[in-house]
Amino acid sequence: MKVLMAEVNISEGKDLDLVEQVKAALLDGEAVDVMDINSNANHNRTVFTYKGSPEAVLDGTKRLAAKAIELIDMTKHTGSHPRIGAVDVVPFIPVKDVSIDEALVIARAFGKYLGDELGVPVYYYEDAATCEERKNLVRIRKGEYEALCERMKDPAWVPDEGPKDFNAKSGATVTGVRFPLVAFNVNLKTADIAIAKQIVKAVRGAAGGYQNVRAIALPLEERGIVQVSMNLTNYEKTPIHRVFETIKSEASQYGILVEDCELVGPVPVYALEEVLKFYLRTHTFSMEQLYF
Amino acid sequence: MKVLMAEVNISEGKDLDLVEQVKAALLDGEAVDVMDINSNANHNRTVFTYKGSPEAVLDGTKRLAAKAIELIDMTKHTGSHPRIGAVDVVPFIPVKDVSIDEALVIARAFGKYLGDELGVPVYYYEDAATCEERKNLVRIRKGEYEALCERMKDPAWVPDEGPKDFNAKSGATVTGVRFPLVAFNVNLKTADIAIAKQIVKAVRGAAGGYQNVRAIALPLEERGIVQVSMNLTNYEKTPIHRVFETIKSEASQYGILVEDCELVGPVPVYALEEVLKFYLRTHTFSMEQLYF
């Protein structure tokens, strides 16, 4: 059974009546499994997380986006979280038996719908990016909604889909495909942030570490210890246990032990496959054997 | 959401048309999720494994049992697997948000239905047993179907439900409640079965080891190594990693390493909770965070 997940970020987190209307639009068709709806008033942003068959997820995301584009006016939007449009970011995330290529078909169909039917400029990012500079969300969103009108005049930032002119009411939308993230934190039995920073350097992809690891060092003030806080962006190629074992090994050169670890937020059960194989040595185990 | 599992063993594994009719009876009502139907001609036995809400599982099991009792004639049954009746053994297994007590209510309702409506003598076993001697399936089934008529005359073996007289066509049924099993094998890098036997002694509940471990030593002829083959009968109280670490430690006194391990058949995802906490030190992790 194919399972695709979508994580839709819209630029409204205070008006919960509006959020309800958007949710109702999502649910008004073939069933998707809503995993989480998180509204943050400070960010003034709501994240809808749901999964289902690729077709059901595409159709539901179109309905959700159409309603959000109808109701949200970016000329009046303020909030602490970076954003570029009413329907701000829409990653499609392959969960089970869906290839990256299949997910790309869905992301492109959604992008075309937004551009052609709803008149919203669209940028493709991550695995759907049309060039290297558009892979990274932070780069696409630079200057946010307020800078978008000027930015769209730059030939380097012509949208991938939809009108080439600024849409003041809706801004732009970033959509694409990415692997499921795993948020994994390792807490070190030391208050010395310099040690956490050294370990970040050892594991972080950008610093020469593992390809699919984003990492920062943080102090945990109330506990008097430090944390290596990570997003693992591809748990198949860079599994949790390998990163963890490397951190333990790197920490040992300072005589520092790991206090404990955290897996934060939703975790795809498939991210545990390599972990089980490593620690329990169950090389013939298939995740199909698991039941809930 | 409450999830109860049933594993129904019926005494027919050759006549697949009969098995189809029994399956159709199971499916003729509120939906249950059929996980596996395994017919073995040599055993002349079929195991139906399914799960669902406790009510749906109870109703489906009643329909399944009524059809099997109607179609199977034990006076003509032969097969290599021990058995006592047409509907031989029916464990109800709490999987999620179902307490042992709630499962006991279901097992008792099923037992009364078999006894009162279908006229089949019933013995309760495992957590449903009415006395210590009836906890163990092997003891209840001693002498099998062929000895049942004589055995039922013994005051110690009066059935818990249903007629006190022998039912030649249907035999008797054993039903009850047990925790989900985890079948876990550890393969040792040695051909010396004596070492596997020593390790079995160290972990097996009956030998002074862990309470919820059943273990035997087996040679793996074609690989030239030996195996400690186990059923863990309560993964909450006696988790997989603890048994594995003990086996590694015991093996080390002979200079023997573990070659690999096997998790066999269906594994409840909850059995991984303690494993993850131990190896990844994620003490705040909740299985609710996992998604398929």
Side-chain angles (χ1 to χ4, degrees):
Chain A
M1 201 187 55
K2 292 175 189 290
V3 181
L4 184 69
M5 191 160 88
E7 220 176 80
V8 184
N9 296 247
I10 68 165
S11 291
E12 180 58 64
K14 293 189 228 181
D15 181 349
L16 298 183
D17 179 57
L18 187 154
V19 171
E20 269 306 311
Q21 290 182 63
V22 172
K23 177 184 170 187
L26 168 65
L27 298 179
D28 185 29
E30 193 188 338
V32 295
D33 175 12
V34 176
M35 300 161 72
D36 193 40
I37 297 177
N38 191 300
S39 294
N40 185 310
N42 196 280
H43 293 171
N44 198 7
R45 183 180 187 86
T46 297
V47 183
F48 294 81
T49 309
Y50 47 90
K51 60 185 168 65
S53 72
E55 299 71 28
V57 166
L58 173 59
D59 291 346
T61 308
K62 283 180 179 175
R63 291 191 304 271
L64 186 165
K67 184 53 76 176
I69 293 295
E70 175 197 331
L71 298 178
I72 297 172
D73 183 353
M74 285 304 289
T75 63
K76 296 173 186 152
H77 186 270
T78 55
S80 63
H81 195 289
R83 79 285 180 265
I84 199 174
V87 175
D88 191 51
V89 192
V90 182
F92 292 96
I93 304 158
V95 170
K96 193 181 174 195
D97 297 337
V98 176
S99 68
I100 294 283
D101 284 345
E102 286 175 273
L104 282 173
V105 171
I106 300 293
R108 297 250 154 74
F110 177 64
K112 279 195 200 310
Y113 172 78
L114 272 177
D116 298 348
E117 310 285 324
L118 303 184
V120 179
V122 170
Y123 295 98
Y124 291 124
Y125 84 136
E126 295 272 356
D127 288 355
T130 52
C131 58
E132 199 55 37
E133 299 78 51
R134 297 189 182 188
K135 286 220 154 193
N136 187 293
L137 178 62
V138 175
R139 271 173 96 163
I140 299 176
R141 217 160 43 184
K142 195 175 171 194
E144 301 191 38
Y145 168 79
E146 286 70 15
L148 185 62
C149 183
E150 274 310 299
R151 207 133 181 268
M152 284 175 70
K153 294 175 186 160
D154 179 348
W157 289 100
V158 173
D160 292 310
E161 303 282 358
K164 309 299 171 219
D165 297 324
F166 182 57
N167 176 332
K169 186 186 170 204
S170 305
T173 295
V174 184
T175 187
V177 172
R178 65 164 169 77
F179 210 74
L181 288 185
V182 173
F184 181 57
N185 302 329
V186 178
N187 300 326
L188 302 171
K189 241 178 162 58
T190 175
D192 188 350
I193 192 76
I195 291 176
K197 284 182 175 164
Q198 282 304 115
I199 289 175
V200 160
K201 274 195 203 164
V203 293
R204 210 175 144 219
Y210 289 112
Q211 184 94 55
N212 301 291
V213 176
R214 295 187 201 139
I216 52 170
L218 294 174
L220 299 185
E221 310 278 6
E222 66 292 9
R223 292 176 63 182
I225 59 174
V226 295
Q227 177 177 86
V228 177
S229 177
M230 293 173 285
N231 271 327
L232 310 186
T233 59
N234 189 323
Y235 57 75
E236 278 181 2
K237 294 183 179 163
T238 309
I240 305 171
H241 72 268
R242 194 169 301 146
V243 178
F244 180 45
E245 291 297 323
T246 302
I247 291 178
K248 279 200 278 189
S249 155
E250 291 291 321
S252 72
Q253 70 181 294
Y254 310 102
I256 299 297
L257 292 170
V258 169
E259 184 152 306
D260 57 9
C261 297
E262 299 163 8
L263 282 164
V264 184
V267 177
V269 74
Y270 306 99
L272 305 180
E273 184 164 5
E274 295 298 318
V275 175
L276 289 176
K277 288 186 176 174
F278 182 80
Y279 289 114
L280 291 183
R281 309 205 197 158
T282 50
H283 303 290
T284 57
F285 182 69
S286 152
M287 298 304 270
E288 301 294 320
Q289 289 173 245
L290 285 181
Y291 65 90
F292 265 96
Chain B
M1 199 189 54
K2 292 174 190 288
V3 181
L4 184 69
M5 191 162 87
E7 220 176 79
V8 185
N9 296 248
I10 68 165
S11 291
E12 179 58 63
K14 293 188 227 180
D15 181 350
L16 298 183
D17 177 58
L18 186 154
V19 171
E20 268 307 310
Q21 290 183 61
V22 171
K23 178 183 170 188
L26 168 65
L27 297 178
D28 185 29
E30 193 188 337
V32 295
D33 174 14
V34 177
M35 300 160 73
D36 193 39
I37 299 178
N38 190 300
S39 294
N40 185 309
N42 195 278
H43 293 172
N44 199 6
R45 185 179 185 85
T46 297
V47 183
F48 294 81
T49 308
Y50 47 90
K51 60 184 169 63
S53 72
E55 299 70 31
V57 166
L58 173 59
D59 291 346
T61 308
K62 282 181 180 175
R63 291 191 304 271
L64 186 165
K67 184 53 78 177
I69 292 294
E70 176 196 329
L71 298 178
I72 297 172
D73 183 354
M74 286 303 289
T75 62
K76 298 175 184 148
H77 186 272
T78 55
S80 65
H81 195 289
R83 80 283 181 265
I84 199 174
V87 176
D88 191 49
V89 192
V90 182
F92 292 97
I93 303 158
V95 169
K96 193 179 175 199
D97 297 337
V98 176
S99 68
I100 294 283
D101 283 345
E102 287 175 273
L104 283 174
V105 171
I106 300 293
R108 297 251 154 74
F110 177 64
K112 279 194 202 309
Y113 172 77
L114 272 177
D116 298 348
E117 308 285 324
L118 303 183
V120 179
V122 169
Y123 295 97
Y124 291 124
Y125 85 136
E126 295 273 355
D127 288 355
T130 52
C131 58
E132 200 53 37
E133 298 79 50
R134 298 189 181 187
K135 286 219 155 192
N136 186 294
L137 177 61
V138 176
R139 270 174 97 164
I140 298 177
R141 217 160 42 184
K142 196 177 171 194
E144 300 190 40
Y145 169 78
E146 286 70 15
L148 185 62
C149 182
E150 274 310 299
R151 207 134 178 269
M152 284 176 69
K153 293 175 187 160
D154 179 349
W157 289 100
V158 173
D160 292 311
E161 302 282 359
K164 309 302 171 216
D165 297 325
F166 182 58
N167 175 333
K169 184 185 173 205
S170 306
T173 296
V174 184
T175 188
V177 171
R178 64 166 171 75
F179 211 74
L181 288 185
V182 173
F184 181 57
N185 302 330
V186 178
N187 301 325
L188 302 173
K189 241 180 163 57
T190 176
D192 187 351
I193 192 75
I195 290 176
K197 283 182 177 166
Q198 282 304 116
I199 289 174
V200 160
K201 274 195 203 163
V203 293
R204 212 175 142 218
Y210 290 112
Q211 184 93 57
N212 301 291
V213 176
R214 294 187 203 140
I216 53 171
L218 294 174
L220 299 184
E221 309 279 7
E222 66 290 9
R223 292 176 64 182
I225 59 174
V226 295
Q227 178 177 86
V228 177
S229 176
M230 291 172 286
N231 272 325
L232 310 186
T233 59
N234 189 322
Y235 57 74
E236 279 182 0
K237 293 182 181 164
T238 309
I240 304 171
H241 71 270
R242 194 169 301 145
V243 178
F244 179 45
E245 292 297 323
T246 301
I247 290 177
K248 279 201 278 189
S249 154
E250 290 292 321
S252 72
Q253 71 179 296
Y254 309 102
I256 299 297
L257 291 170
V258 169
E259 184 152 307
D260 57 9
C261 297
E262 301 162 8
L263 282 165
V264 185
V267 176
V269 75
Y270 305 100
L272 305 180
E273 184 163 7
E274 294 297 318
V275 174
L276 289 175
K277 287 186 177 174
F278 182 80
Y279 289 113
L280 291 183
R281 309 203 196 162
T282 50
H283 302 291
T284 56
F285 182 68
S286 151
M287 297 305 270
E288 302 294 319
Q289 289 174 246
L290 285 181
Y291 65 89
F292 265 96

